Amino acid sequence: MPSTIADIRKDYKLQSLSEKDAAPDAIVQFNTWWQEAIQSEIDEVNAMTLATASADGIPAARIVLLKGFDDRGFVFFTNYESFKGMQLAENPRACLVFFWKELERQVRITGLVEKVSDAESDAYFNSRPEGSRIGAWASPQSQVIESREWLQEREKTYAKDFSGKPLQRPAHWGGYRVKPVTIEFWQGRPSRLHDRLQYTLEGNNEWKIERLAP
């Protein structure tokens, strides 16, 4: 049992990350690590930290869930009127961080943010459980509310209003796509001499790979 916070430490020894083994394309490399994370049965493998900032540079971070990725970027869904939504409206840039401690790995994605199409948002919204869809209507996300009971009453009201009717997506709810500019892959190594490979997207849509000091 560590006696102080400073005594809490772990030496990382599971794997390594070399340039010769890394894919030339950052999304391909992410997919490789993603599949290995899935196979490792990590709990909530799609949980990621989303960092945003207001126009004047005040940062905020929270955990959200990845709901898709491809060559265009990384997608999550939320209330557009939430605090994160307001920051993204002011400053459409973000950073995502995955930490898969079971594999001693991190992935950090920095990029520009855009809303996904209405069709993409509709398709994902319609795939959600009914309770989650009602919740998107009932919760004025990030706003101050008077009590838990107030929220539960709104949930009941919307459930009654939508009973027997199509539960369409509210206009204030939908998806964002983080279009990566840089992606860093971090593999823990012994003695804190970690492997860090940074991919930077260049003007010709090719990725430049560089090793960073740990």
Side-chain angles (χ1 to χ4, degrees), residues 180-192:
V181 175
T182 63
I183 302 181
E184 180 192 325
F185 296 88
W186 181 101
Q187 178 68 62
R189 297 297 303 277
S191 302
R192 296 296 187 263

Side-chain angles (χ1 to χ4, degrees), residues 141-167:
Q141 193 175 119
S142 301
Q143 296 182 27
V144 175
I145 60 174
E146 61 187 61
S147 66
R148 176 76 187 182
E149 290 72 23
W150 179 89
L151 184 62
Q152 290 171 329
E153 284 303 314
R154 278 177 63 90
E155 180 188 29
K156 291 177 183 177
T157 298
Y158 277 105
K160 182 178 179 180
D161 289 346
F162 281 115
S163 180
K165 301 176 184 177
L167 239 174

Side-chain angles (χ1 to χ4, degrees), residues 103-121:
L103 298 175
E104 301 176 353
R105 287 174 172 172
Q106 295 183 65
V107 181
R108 181 170 59 179
I109 301 159
T110 304
L112 307 177
V113 181
E114 64 182 12
K115 289 181 179 178
V116 306
S117 68
D118 287 345
E120 289 176 272
S121 289

